[in-house]
Amino acid sequence: MNTQAPRRQRRRFRPLILLLTLTAMLAVLIGATTGFQQQKPPLPDPEPAVDPVTDSYEDRWGELDRAVKRSEYAKEAFASSDDRVHYTGSDYTVLHGVDVSDHNGVIDWDAVQLDGIDFAIVRLGYRGYGNGAIVKDEQFFENAEALDCLDMDYGVYFFSQAISVEEAVEEAQFVLTQLQGHAPSLPVYFDWEPISDTARTANMNPLLLTDCALAFCQTIEEAGFEAGIYFNQEFGYRHFNLITLKDYDFWLAEYADAPSFFYHFQQWQYSCTGSVAGIHTATDLNLRFIPKEA
């Protein structure tokens, strides 16, 4: 019997097996690296506006909660010029603002203010949507220090991916730690957005999401800061229980020439493609409404 042939075959297969093993290990390493890089939340896509004249709220969103305060803004008082929206209603003082993150790079805040911007909302950090790690925004300290020195009104937001009340409280505590030495005059916002069907936050229960927002805001307010919730129309209508959150500042995202959202809100993000001096990328534009009797 010839026993040498099988041994030679085994010798020839060993380099191939080693090569396949190294290839598999490299694929795992690349996948892990890519997964880590994808923890940073993507920029949101614009949401189409809803015109109540042609598309009723009930048909689009279902039954409304009449216990939640209705919007008081007059649609005819909104006007667009120079790529910005203005409000001419007599009951509110309206401020123009931007919201930014490290996606916008290094910002010249003196130039921003000279371009007619009254306030800013700065991202403080975010939770990864894959591994759930909390990460500080790379430009937060630079932005906050510049705004403190400029004496410009600003608030902050945290991009949440909390899937429990405990995680929402953890996020709020992280925010409070990073805010030491800073004094934002506007609210700290809870910004929870869907990512994908494969994210750890997929299929989040609306009742639990409301509980997370409430826990975050309560923790922030107990520390002496104002708190608020950022949402688009879908989340305002279908996911958050707004009557539970009514004591907090509402920041609506609806990209349109005039808001159609049924409920009342204090701040409106109307564009994600704005151009502002001192910011070298497209940026989000906002209006903040202050009752004149206040």
Side-chain angles (χ1 to χ4, degrees):
M1 180 181 292
N2 186 354
T3 60
Q4 297 303 314
R7 289 174 183 166
R8 285 197 294 271
Q9 288 177 348
R10 285 197 293 269
R11 291 193 193 103
R12 286 198 297 268
F13 280 125
R14 282 172 186 166
L16 178 60
I17 293 171
L18 179 60
L19 177 61
L20 291 174
T21 302
L22 291 174
T23 301
M25 292 175 63
L26 180 61
V28 171
L29 179 61
I30 293 174
T33 303
T34 303
F36 175 78
Q37 291 173 342
Q38 290 176 344
Q39 296 306 306
K40 196 168 188 176
L43 295 175
D45 292 326
E47 178 190 13
V50 177
D51 186 343
V53 175
T54 60
D55 189 359
S56 74
Y57 292 105
E58 283 78 4
D59 289 343
R60 178 75 181 268
W61 306 113
E63 185 177 355
L64 296 171
D65 188 344
R66 304 289 169 171
V68 181
K69 183 178 179 180
R70 183 172 180 172
S71 174
E72 298 176 341
Y73 308 123
K75 187 172 183 179
E76 62 274 11
F78 290 93
S80 298
S81 64
D82 301 325
D83 295 325
R84 295 186 188 176
V85 176
H86 304 270
Y87 185 76
T88 59
S90 59
D91 295 336
Y92 290 89
T93 297
V94 177
L95 305 179
H96 291 263
V98 295
D99 63 273
V100 299
S101 69
D102 56 25
H103 291 289
N104 299 101
V106 177
I107 296 173
D108 180 348
W109 285 106
D110 291 287
V112 170
Q113 189 176 50
L114 289 173
D115 198 16
I117 299 301
D118 305 303
F119 72 92
I121 308 296
V122 178
R123 188 175 73 171
L124 184 145
Y126 59 89
R127 184 187 289 276
Y129 59 85
N131 59 18
I134 292 179
V135 182
K136 182 188 71 176
D137 186 284
E138 294 175 3
Q139 288 295 124
F140 169 68
F141 284 135
E142 289 78 3
N143 287 332
E145 289 176 2
L147 290 164
D148 283 332
C149 293
L150 196 58
D151 197 25
M152 185 175 178
D153 286 334
Y154 75 96
V156 303
Y157 74 93
F158 184 88
F159 188 97
S160 172
Q161 289 289 278
I163 56 175
S164 68
V165 168
E166 291 75 17
E167 285 193 353
V169 172
E170 180 188 24
E171 292 171 353
Q173 291 171 340
F174 174 81
V175 169
L176 294 173
T177 298
Q178 302 304 314
L179 280 179
Q180 293 179 8
H182 300 288
S185 54
L186 298 179
V188 174
Y189 290 98
F190 177 82
D191 172 14
W192 198 102
E193 299 176 34
I195 296 296
S196 70
D197 293 338
T198 59
R200 66 195 293 272
T201 48
N203 302 315
M204 181 69 165
N205 182 287
L207 294 177
L208 177 56
L209 178 57
T210 295
D211 288 342
C212 288
L214 184 62
F216 180 96
C217 290
Q218 286 176 336
T219 304
I220 294 297
E221 283 208 332
E222 287 170 0
F225 296 96
E226 291 185 71
I229 303 99
Y230 171 91
F231 52 79
N232 62 13
Q233 291 190 86
E234 179 179 353
F235 270 67
Y237 287 130
R238 290 180 172 169
H239 296 271
F240 285 116
N241 182 344
L242 296 186
I243 195 66
T244 300
L245 303 170
K246 64 181 178 58
D247 293 332
Y248 302 107
D249 204 89
F250 288 169
W251 179 12
L252 170 70
E254 181 186 347
Y255 302 146
D257 292 331
S260 65
F261 192 62
F262 185 85
Y263 302 122
H264 195 65
F265 51 91
Q266 288 74 32
Q267 190 163 286
W268 174 37
Q269 183 189 79
Y270 65 85
S271 175
C272 65
T273 58
S275 177
V276 175
I279 303 177
H280 304 296
T281 64
T283 189
D284 300 335
L285 298 176
N286 300 267
L287 294 182
R288 184 162 185 81
F289 302 87
I290 302 173
K292 287 191 175 178
E293 65 268 18

